[in-house]
Amino acid sequence: NILNFIAGAAASGGDVIALSTAMSTATLFDVDGSAIANATTVDLSVAMTATGDTLVATDNIIVIATALSTTAGMLDFVDGVTLTTASIASATFIVAWGDGSDTYVTLVDAVGAGSAGLTLASGGHTLSASTLGVLQGVTPGALVAANFDFIT
């Protein structure tokens, strides 16, 4: 658990979570299938309230605004999200989601024979999750791109 995390830009005292691009057995990807490198600009998705919300190809942190009570509920939500352009066989996505009072920063591994423009579920992916940290008292919608940085 991370206590007293300040969401928002550094100019207003916001904290930063450094995410290593080499922290997973699969490569970190944005939603169009491009691998994330340490020089990649952080791009948060819109704060999604439904699986049909539109993702932009450069989104590399999926933000879910809908309160979900369990990791399994988050995986069900992510399973219905439509990827944008690329066919991804195996990838790891970064998801910021909450339970109504705290935000969970989670790696979601998707393994399968993915296809462009499909949901992970319809692409035949198997999903698993590893939560990196819990931001106590922070809602996902309060996060901004400046709260994250990609490093090697």
Side-chain angles (χ1 to χ4, degrees), residues 69-84:
S69 59
T70 65
T71 301
M74 179 273 299
L75 288 174
D76 285 343
F77 188 101
V78 170
D79 211 16
V81 172
T82 301
L83 301 178
T84 57

Side-chain angles (χ1 to χ4, degrees), residues 49-130:
T49 57
T51 57
D53 288 347
T54 302
L55 294 174
V56 177
T58 56
D59 288 343
N60 47 39
I61 298 179
I62 300 169
V63 179
I64 301 173
T66 301
L68 303 166
S69 59
T70 65
T71 301
M74 179 273 299
L75 288 174
D76 285 343
F77 188 101
V78 170
D79 211 16
V81 172
T82 301
L83 301 178
T84 57
T85 58
S87 175
I88 302 171
S90 295
T92 299
F93 300 98
I94 304 163
V95 180
W97 62 283
D99 60 8
S101 58
D102 300 324
T103 293
Y104 300 79
V105 178
T106 303
L107 296 180
V108 173
D109 290 314
V111 178
S115 299
L118 294 178
T119 64
L120 293 172
S122 63
H125 288 84
T126 301
L127 302 181
S128 61
S130 300

Side-chain angles (χ1 to χ4, degrees), residues 5-10 13-18 42 44 142-149:
F5 184 89
I6 300 171
D15 292 319
V16 177
I17 299 171
V42 173
L44 273 60
L143 298 171
V144 297
N147 290 129
F148 298 92
D149 187 24

Side-chain angles (χ1 to χ4, degrees), residues 2-25:
I2 301 171
L3 302 172
N4 301 317
F5 184 89
I6 300 171
S12 60
D15 292 319
V16 177
I17 299 171
L19 298 165
S20 173
T21 57
M23 75 173 113
S24 175
T25 55

